């Protein structure tokens, strides 16, 4: 996997490079100190993955993500941020990022995120997963077990509309678009057996 690292702090880039280059199948092909440079390198070099800091000079991580996804659609993007906030996660995924990693957890989460992206799966920040209400988690579990909204409504003694609202809220919080992604999430969280 060919990787581009973009962060306006040299020390962060160096740390990420060290972490990534311990992986036998990962090669850091370039570093960038701002979003515009990251976009230009991504468009020119077509890395498999661009790891972008959320807050950078010239173009933010989100702006660079949109431009990279438009001009080099084969390049996946991971956003790295200090912010452990579901709104940023949702914005990153809406901009076209495949994942979002909080910097304070990068030592453990970055490689997991990289592998998830490699498999074509989104990587929500752990905090986003913790944002689901117990009821939303129940609905996710039942959806993942292939129950219809009508069946879930009967099981949980709710209206179908309420079930659909819980499902929509959970999917929005997790940055997911379809049932397949919900199933993968439910398996990862141990809600259902693979």
């Amino acid at each position: 996997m060919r990787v581009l690292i973009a962060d306006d702090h040299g020390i962060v880039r160096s740390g990420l490079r060290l972490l990534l280059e311990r992986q036998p199948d990962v090669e850091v092909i370039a570093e960038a100190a701002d979003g515009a440079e990251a976009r230009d390198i991504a468009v020119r070099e077509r890395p498999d993955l661009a790891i972008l800091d959320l807050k950078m000079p010239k173009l933010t991580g989100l702006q660079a993500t949109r431009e990279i996804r438009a001009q080099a659609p084969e390049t996946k993007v991971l956003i790295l941020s200090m912010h452990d906030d579901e709104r940023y996660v949702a914005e990153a995924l809406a901009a076209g990022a495949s994942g979002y990693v909080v910097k304070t957890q990068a030592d453990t989460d970055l490689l997991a995120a990289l592998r998830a992206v490699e498999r074509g799966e989104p990587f929500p920040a752990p905090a986003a997963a913790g944002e689901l209400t117990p009821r939303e988690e129940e609905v996710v579990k039942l959806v993942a077990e292939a129950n219809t909204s009508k069946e879930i409504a009967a099981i949980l003694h709710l209206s179908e509309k309420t079930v659909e609202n819980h499902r929509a809220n959970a999917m929005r919080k997790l940055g997911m678009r379809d049932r397949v992604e919900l199933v993968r999430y439910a398996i990862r969280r141990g809600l259902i057996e693979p």
Side-chain angles (χ1 to χ4, degrees):
M1 181 179 264
R2 298 166 65 250
V3 178
L4 158 67
I5 299 169
D7 194 292
D8 52 338
H9 297 100
I11 190 86
V12 174
R13 291 196 307 273
S14 300
L16 293 173
R17 179 183 279 271
L18 278 172
L19 183 67
L20 293 168
E21 289 188 335
R22 285 196 199 121
Q23 303 300 303
D25 60 339
V26 175
E27 176 195 3
V28 176
I29 59 154
E31 293 181 18
D34 65 62
E37 186 184 8
R39 176 206 52 211
D40 295 346
I41 292 170
V43 170
R44 187 174 67 244
E45 302 293 331
R46 307 283 168 153
D48 300 307
L49 178 67
I51 299 173
L52 308 179
D53 185 19
L54 184 67
K55 307 265 189 215
M56 286 189 290
K58 297 187 182 166
L59 289 176
T60 67
L62 295 181
Q63 291 169 317
T65 297
R66 284 187 201 97
E67 296 198 17
I68 289 168
R69 297 295 292 145
Q71 297 174 53
E74 66 277 22
T75 298
K76 300 278 193 270
V77 176
L78 263 181
I79 292 289
L80 200 57
S81 172
M82 291 302 298
H83 302 284
D84 194 352
D85 182 323
E86 74 171 70
R87 284 170 308 185
Y88 287 108
V89 178
E91 281 178 29
L93 296 173
S98 297
Y100 185 99
V101 175
V102 179
K103 282 186 180 178
T104 54
Q105 292 152 341
D107 56 334
T108 55
D109 285 356
L110 186 63
L111 296 177
L114 181 130
R115 297 304 174 203
V117 168
E118 200 172 40
R119 292 189 303 269
E121 298 170 4
F123 188 87
E131 294 286 343
L132 292 188
T133 66
R135 182 61 93 189
E136 286 166 354
E137 200 159 271
E138 284 176 330
V139 169
V140 166
K141 178 185 185 339
L142 291 166
V143 167
E145 290 172 346
N147 291 287
T148 65
S149 291
K150 188 174 185 172
E151 290 165 339
I152 295 169
I155 293 165
L156 298 178
H157 308 292
L158 299 170
S159 73
E160 271 185 74
K161 182 77 182 139
T162 302
V163 168
E164 282 161 12
N165 285 341
H166 285 313
R167 177 183 179 161
N169 288 339
M171 291 180 79
R172 180 183 49 75
K173 286 180 180 180
L174 296 169
M176 296 180 176
R177 294 170 297 284
D178 60 34
R179 198 181 141 271
V180 174
E181 291 180 347
L182 270 188
V183 171
R184 286 189 188 131
Y185 166 80
I187 291 169
R188 277 202 313 271
R189 293 278 292 170
L191 299 175
I192 63 170
E193 292 296 315

